[in-house]
Amino acid sequence: MAVFDCSDPDQRAAGILEAAAAVRRGELVVMPTDTVYGIGADAFVHAAVASLLDAKGRGREMPPPVLVGTVRAATALVEEMGPYGQDLIDAFWPGPLTIVVKANRALSWDLGDTKGTVAIRMPLHPVALDLLKETGPMAVSSANRSGAPAATTAANAEEQLGDSVAVYLDGGPCADDVPSTIIDLTTAIPRLLRKGAIPVEKLRGIVGYVATDA
């Protein structure tokens, strides 16, 4: 297990290289994002995604989202973006919006019981983006044990996840613990799945009507 202080330019560069190498080996890494810390693995290595779910104490019924470093990487993962997907990406990416869309059926991956969908986000954090541009798409979930509070520091993530993670990238404390907003674009009417950093009113400013449980 290695921890890198990303406030130091040399450690940041070395940490991103080591984290990328760990991901290519099928190991787990922890990274800062613009919401909370995330635990990530290569989205296309089945055993790595299984290890991620195991580290969190989570089952296949709760598949992890996929983080990308570019919009182009996102479009390669998608079969159908729906009428609003590109508009939402233009408005809120990179940033704390996760979109659920129909996954590209030609891809050889296993994120869990996704029912043919994938939740995708491009985070607004320089360390996360630098790593994602090295690794390509990563399966990333909040860096905590299932049911525990989301980690807002690398130390908090390490307390919960320990040696199950090969590399911790310490980007300092998160500004808050508000997660990304999740919107489902796989149906005719966009549906809010989770309230988060982007208010539903801003989503409605782009797509018009958004269904909510309320």
Side-chain angles (χ1 to χ4, degrees), residues 10 40 81 141:
D10 292 336
M81 193 81 75
S141 186

Side-chain angles (χ1 to χ4, degrees), residues 119-146:
I120 308 178
R121 185 165 87 86
M122 182 179 174
L124 181 58
H125 193 289
V127 173
L129 289 173
D130 283 352
L131 177 59
L132 289 161
K133 287 169 185 174
E134 290 284 336
T135 62
M138 289 178 63
V140 179
S141 186
S142 56
N144 58 283
R145 292 286 294 175
S146 190

